[in-house]
Amino acid sequence: MSGAVVIMVLGAFVAGGAISFHQQRMPSWTVVLLAVTAAGLIGYGGYAWFQGR
């Protein structure tokens, strides 16, 4: 498994955490922080995957 795939899977895990936090009515800043982090991880993983890294 390449590093890019691991990063995308980690991003998906963090996105699931953001959804879970939203359902638990956690503070909005925590949900936004997790969502931005997840988007960054998935985005970078996709970029690295397309670049062949």
Side-chain angles (χ1 to χ4, degrees), residues 1-8 43-53:
M1 189 181 308
S2 71
V5 174
V6 171
I7 290 172
M8 286 190 288
Y44 177 72
Y47 172 76
W49 185 57
F50 282 120
Q51 294 296 318
R53 295 181 187 172

Side-chain angles (χ1 to χ4, degrees), residues 3-50:
V5 174
V6 171
I7 290 172
M8 286 190 288
V9 169
L10 180 61
F13 181 75
V14 173
I19 293 169
S20 175
F21 274 27
H22 177 69
Q23 289 175 347
Q24 295 175 41
R25 302 190 195 285
M26 297 295 254
S28 295
W29 68 269
T30 57
V31 175
V32 169
L33 181 65
L34 284 175
V36 168
T37 303
L41 286 169
I42 293 170
Y44 177 72
Y47 172 76
W49 185 57
F50 282 120

